[in-house]
Amino acid sequence: MASRKLLTILLLACSLALPAQLTFEVSDGASSFAGEDWLAGVRGRLERLMNEPLLNTSQAALMVYDLNTAQMVFAHNERQRMWPAQSLQLITAVSALDLLGADYGFHTSICHSGRMAGDTLRGNLYCVGGFDPTLTRDDLRAMADSIRRFGIRRIEGMVVADVTMKDTLSRGSGWCWDVNYERLTPLIVDRKDEFVGRLAREMLNAGIELDVTWARSKVPQGCTEICRRSTAIGQVLKPMLKGADRLYAEAMFYQLAKANTTKEAKATDAVRAIKRLIGRLGLDDANYTIADGSGTSLYSYVTAELLVRFLRHAADNQRMLNAVYPSLSVAGVDGKLQGRLTSKPCRGNVHAVAGGMPGVSSLAGYCRASNGHILCFAIINQGLTQLRDGEFFQDRVCQVLCR
């Protein structure tokens, strides 16, 4: 790269105190590389790892990129398409931040139609879902209190669930049918499809009488909004990436989808948005198959190269990086990496998404090398009989990168 620029990465201290700041300089290729011996040593050790017996019976893809020098450190099978497991959620997260922005919010609204006769609503109460996966009973209780403060003590009409934000499919394409996944619906509470019934109970507890029937329909124009609950995108990103949370990732995926259509959102709308970004990043979107946002689908195939390209894109945008980086699991500290890489030099220096599904294990994120440089990396192990074998391989890669 001919230009020079400064980027800032927020690094969580191992003690989980306030984040420290690290400023690193992106410079012109190898001319400012901090030691050719370091590069040669890393490449040699990684080459030896590619001869591990594990890879006689399984596949591995690996790519490592130095953000300081804009230089490839190592690549092995980086363009082989593999099932990414939950590391696909990095692509979902970066795509959402790119399209929707770091200020985006997930919204759930309560509205009414009809007229007020004293403290009686003679009309319908609408629950308008925006697929916020964070809603809990406390939120429903607050909504019921808002309805009461609005002046409603009795409702005569219908309580209507508006779930038209997305299609009616309750699970992703290519998900195993013998697994009891959470339902993908725009109105959920405590991860369950029980929003309207539980809101009704909270209204009764708040002293609101209900003489109603139940329905599903789209909220009509001209309704009066009683209250709105909004969740910032960052509040969804953290549990999504640190916990590799399927429901949170799919909720993010459908925000992408909804931004690409005026009709009910479909998975194909989100895929179209992601593939447009892939094209902007200089890769051929036809080389990848993306079927969901969480990496649960058996139909999703990406590459280590693609994951690293998305990590690089996040690092190129300060606001995006500030949202993604603190949301990643920290080695030996929290999330899916709490019990992995617990000793130096990796503890606190590896920030990544860890994925694991039958036969597949993956790890993708950022780490700080011993020369102070920030590396982004992606590792996918496929064809495993024991997921721990893949995790052990990935941990050894990280030890090479951080030493």
Side-chain angles (χ1 to χ4, degrees), residues 54 57-58 355-362 381-394:
L54 174 68
T57 56
S58 64
M357 304 291 284
V360 178
S361 180
S362 60
N381 292 93
Q382 185 172 274
L384 302 169
T385 56
Q386 298 289 331
L387 296 188
R388 291 182 63 181
D389 293 338
E391 293 174 354
F392 182 65
F393 177 86
Q394 295 152 18

Side-chain angles (χ1 to χ4, degrees), residues 79 81 275 283-289 301-303 305:
R79 292 182 178 174
R81 291 185 294 177
K275 290 206 165 189
L283 297 174
D284 185 353
D285 66 86
N287 290 334
Y288 315 101
T289 304
Y301 284 91
V302 301
T303 66
E305 179 185 48

